Amino acid sequence: MSSSLRARPHSRWWALIVISLTQLVVVLDGTIVSIALPRAQAALGLTDGQRQWVVTAYALAFGALLLFGGRLADYIGRKRIFMIGMIGFGAASLYGGFAQQGWELILARGLQGVFAALLAPAALALLTVTFPSGRERNTAFAVFGTVAGTGAAVGLLLGGLLTEFADWRWCLFVNIFFVVVGLIGGALFLTESKAEGENRYDVWGTITVTLGLGALVYGFSLAEHGWGDPLTITFLVLGVVLLAVFVWIESRVAQPLLPLRIVADRVRGGAFLIQGVAGAIMIGATMYLTFHLQFVLGMGAFPAGLATLPLPIATMIIAPIATRLLPVIGPRPMLIVGPLLAAAGMVYLSGITPDGAYLLQVAPALVVLGVGMAFIFIPLQNLALSGVAPHDAGVASAMANSAMQIGGSIGLSVFTAVYAASVGGHAQADVTPSQLTDAYGWTFIAAAIFMVAASVIAMFLVRGTKEELMPTQGERALAAH
């Protein structure tokens, strides 16, 4: 930590505000356009298949490049990468806001994801070096974590507000406010730092994992044309092969992008898989929920955003209870029961009808889903870094975030394929409300199956006694990162 910030302690709290705003914009941008998609689709003439890529492009680029972004921040300089990420994110947001064709919006969202992958790890590293220890560190990470946890809900609300009372394009233009604040605050209050010693870039690892994940997600997105389609099979196989090559590279390079010891541990690997499934639900399934609220129930964008609030509110209410319960029963029971509760919520939601009341058919399901998610996210934060050496903590944390984003990309592609199969490939304008609710219902059933799979993963991979699975005090401090 530099002497300048030590001498001016108030600067650290201003730095916390800047970094937290950065985290907010990165998280909320994953959901802010979801609520605006119906109007963006109509304005730009997007097909139903292209529509999901407005969300997928961001999550895929963000998740695939997050590890590499962390390396760049460590090697080139965290403040420098932070500022570059801010400028690039703002430029991509402007480009998307002025988009006149569907492909321009999708490209802009992908570019936002690329620069978010620079911003997020740089911001976290800057927070770590700004608050190295003590009570202030705990307070800083509590603020940072709260902002991260509520960002998705803020995105839905802000997206609904802007779409309803301004224009869907403001869901992208609003980022300029955050960028300006971030650039000014970053210049005034952030101090440069970087990793010491010899650093090498794992170029081939970065290329193979990025192309592999991209091919895999694209293959899943093509499944709306049929799982047996030659192009679908080709991209799915190509994705698996490239990821296998990535694993082979990581086992042989001196400074791998992802040290395999991070994911080889059975418990931690299971935690990452569950994180991916949770991302599929929070990013993928919730998008189709907002469609039901708008297309079938006829809500405006802002009321639809408000209607999703039972989910984050239930999660925030249960999270403290789950936190106190964790050392008593351990993470395994919570990771078995939590996904089953979430699955129950999705099954309940699958019973929606065109004339069904929101308070009877939607709100109760969101409450149950929110409770289940609280019992998932609390233990996952501990398991993701349990047993990780201090020098691997950063990459393990980035891996957890990547798993959620990539899981969201794959989940959304699978749900889109299920939706397309249910409506027989017809455009949304050509199907009745009854057909829409049937199609959305099947996507929620698919989401429930995902959640049951997460419970099974926990049952077979997250094994051990409570004492074996719970991290030590030192590891718990790292988990706060």
Side-chain angles (χ1 to χ4, degrees), residues 405-461:
Q405 297 295 329
I406 297 301
S409 301
I410 293 175
L412 183 52
S413 297
V414 172
F415 300 149
T416 299
V418 172
Y419 165 83
S422 182
V423 298
H426 296 296
Q428 186 163 272
D430 299 327
V431 296
T432 66
S434 179
Q435 290 173 312
L436 278 179
T437 53
D438 285 345
Y440 298 154
W442 281 113
T443 64
F444 299 144
I445 289 292
I449 294 172
F450 272 49
M451 286 278 85
V452 172
S455 182
V456 173
I457 290 170
M459 203 175 299
F460 286 98
L461 293 184

Side-chain angles (χ1 to χ4, degrees), residues 14 26 111 130 165 178 220 245 279 311 350 352 386 392 419:
W14 282 109
V26 165
L111 290 172
T130 303
F165 299 109
F178 294 102
F220 277 115
V245 173
L311 171 56
S350 71
I352 51 175
S386 180
D392 286 334
Y419 165 83

